[in-house]
Amino acid sequence: MSKPVLQAFYGMSSPWAYLGAQRLVAIARDAGATLVHRPIRLIEANGGIPLRTRPDYRQKYHEVELDRWRKHLGTPLNLKPKFYPCRTIETAAQAVIAVQKAGIEVADFAFAIQRALWAEDRDIADLATLRELALATVGEAGAALVRDPQPADIVADWHANLAEAEDRGIFGTPTYVLNDELFWGQDRLDFVARALAAAKQKEIA
């Protein structure tokens, strides 16, 4: 029986990806699925709208929803983090890609980056910060893969993630993909779990 593959397309600075990160890992683990991290940014070509360019009322409501969800989940989150918007997310995103490509379990590192931005007021565009987070979660081997610039193959993988996201019709993050079905938003994780369970039942039958 083949393991289902659950792909997570998300921005490293997305608060919604952060809020859903640990549940995503648990859902994949419980279903026996392989979780593949696919860091991206908003896909504006498909209708993604950066938060700071949205009308004021939409930005205010965004904050209301973050407050509701952080309380609902009991997840530490600063509504106005010191280093958001980030100077760049590419360094962090490509570090996650590099660690995963090396065959190192990357979930703890990715979550540490998200938590650093949203709960600890740390600058995830800073190379030294990323290396410190990597050392604490994926060890020296993982920390050695945090570079700027990254090797050409890692940069190519970053661009491939963006291109595939656009081709799939992804616009916002996080978007989870299972068997070509899209689930946009951490509030759809229950549906991801149900889809995984249904796929497992189908395999058994």
Side-chain angles (χ1 to χ4, degrees):
M1 185 182 300
S2 61
K3 294 178 67 173
V5 176
L6 176 59
Q7 300 184 80
F9 289 82
Y10 63 94
M12 297 307 305
S13 64
S14 165
W16 306 111
Y18 164 60
L19 287 170
Q22 292 185 300
R23 285 180 295 139
L24 171 66
V25 170
I27 286 168
R29 181 192 62 234
D30 292 347
T34 298
L35 176 59
V36 181
H37 292 249
R38 305 290 301 272
I40 59 170
R41 56 174 171 259
L42 279 175
I43 307 298
E44 294 185 57
N46 289 346
I49 305 172
L51 177 64
R52 300 307 179 194
T53 66
R54 298 173 192 171
D56 286 346
Y57 282 113
R58 283 202 63 185
Q59 293 189 42
K60 290 175 183 176
Y61 187 74
H62 178 269
E63 190 171 303
V64 169
E65 281 285 270
L66 284 180
D67 187 42
R68 287 174 178 157
W69 275 100
R70 68 175 179 170
K71 291 173 180 174
H72 175 66
L73 298 172
T75 301
L77 181 145
N78 298 329
L79 294 177
K80 297 184 184 298
K82 183 177 180 180
F83 293 99
Y84 182 83
C86 300
R87 290 181 288 123
T88 179
I89 63 168
E90 290 192 24
T91 307
Q94 291 176 19
V96 168
I97 291 169
V99 170
Q100 179 173 251
K101 191 168 188 174
I104 301 170
E105 175 51 57
V106 76
D108 287 347
F109 176 43
F111 180 69
I113 294 171
Q114 295 166 316
R115 182 179 59 209
L117 173 63
W118 286 100
E120 300 169 356
D121 277 338
R122 301 178 71 181
D123 182 4
I124 66 167
D126 176 67
L127 202 61
T129 297
L130 292 173
R131 285 176 175 154
E132 184 179 333
L133 294 169
L135 190 61
T137 54
V138 289
E140 292 184 2
L145 298 170
V146 180
R147 308 168 187 165
D148 188 23
Q150 285 281 355
D153 64 316
I154 302 301
V155 177
D157 286 350
W158 160 250
H159 288 293
N161 284 357
L162 296 171
E164 183 172 334
E166 184 171 341
D167 288 345
R168 286 183 177 275
I170 291 170
F171 47 90
T173 85
T175 295
Y176 315 109
V177 180
L178 178 66
N179 296 329
D180 295 325
E181 186 176 359
L182 306 185
F183 302 82
W184 173 44
Q186 59 86 33
D187 51 345
R188 270 60 170 199
L189 280 169
D190 285 347
F191 293 109
V192 173
R194 292 177 192 177
L196 282 166
K200 188 174 183 178
Q201 284 299 117
K202 190 174 181 180
E203 282 279 342
I204 293 172

